[in-house]
Amino acid sequence: MSIFDKTIDIVFGRWKSQILYTGAKLGIFDYLTTNPKEIGQIAKDLNLNEAMTYRILRSIASLGFLKEGNNGHTFSITPLGELLRKDHPQTLQGVLLLEEGPEHYQIWKHLPRMIKDGQQNAFLSEYGNNIFDYAGENAVYSKVFNDAMSSYSAMHTSMVLEALDGYDFSSFSHICDIGGGQGHLLSHLHSKYNHLNGTILELEPVVNNQDSSWPNKMGLQDRCTYLKGNMFDHIPPADLYIMKMILHDWNDEECIKILSNVNKSAPDKSKVFIIEHIVPDPTTPHFSKLFDIHMMCATSGRERTKEEYESILNQSGWRYIQTYYPSSKRIGVIEGIKAK
Ligand SMILES: C[S@@+](CC[C@H](N)C(=O)[O-])C[C@H]1O[C@@H](n2cnc3c(N)ncnc32)[C@H](O)[C@@H]1O
């Protein structure tokens, strides 16, 4: 790709993601199959305007997520489009609906202002509430948010299992997943390691809405239980604490509060796994460097280097041991042990 084409591709990136968002929002990816369907039928079944439907489907096909028949009257789904179906095992539909949805779309407009005045958390500026309090008060957004976390986890869980393949879990009997959301990671760890029991510590609105929880879906309710709570207050004792995509939501001071709080209830020799995007050296392009800007818009947090996580652990009563990576290096698992 020439530098001109590459620049064009990035400049118009938002158009592409909004087109895909519209396809997901209107149920197009869940409806279409590999058998071509007539445009009139598609519009009728999805209750859409036929002429407009043709134009949006043509644009989605142009991105490779659908296939348009030679005659322009039919559409079918492609393997790329399948990834945007709700029921795909690695579904990215939840991520798309959250990150291109109305709440998150709005916060990006604050970016130039934040870079000037140094005040991050556009979510707070835009909605007058931090993201988790807003989710607690908005059932529709909360569902989109929690489904998106499972959608992210559909990517992350397999990366964590790969990174920790060969890790000795035999000394752990109880894991606490702090802010474990719908429990995708904890349930899959329990499914792999039969001797484990676990607790998902979550905010009340998440615990009260378990329709889509993974312990329920995977029949693991006896071994994976929910506990309503606040990680800034009480944390239950466990041999291993997992925090996936938690610390990147918070600034350093807040992270030290959370980890010190975990440390208070952690038995001797207990461990912590911090699972995050890890920012690599300055010369390596990495998704974490983009996600960091999203965290700037959405929260008080940031993405960090391995050394920055090590420093936070050391300031909270933990000692850094090592970091495990999957082959993609998209995320990392930082292991710490209780030091005092
Ligand atoms: C970015 S999500 C990550 C969810 C999950 N760990 C994952 O990776 O899919 C952050 C989670 O932290 C939870 N959370 C936020 N503040 C919390 C608090 N004070 N106590 C407990 N959980 C909290 C949210 O409800 C949300 O599920």
Side-chain angles (χ1 to χ4, degrees), residues 71 127 151 321:
N71 51 14
Y127 303 107
S151 181
I321 303 180

Side-chain angles (χ1 to χ4, degrees), residues 83-95 151-152 154:
L83 270 176
L84 297 177
R85 290 176 65 87
K86 200 174 7 197
D87 59 2
H88 191 283
Q90 267 100 42
T91 179
L92 289 169
Q93 184 182 106
V95 171
S151 181
Y152 275 115

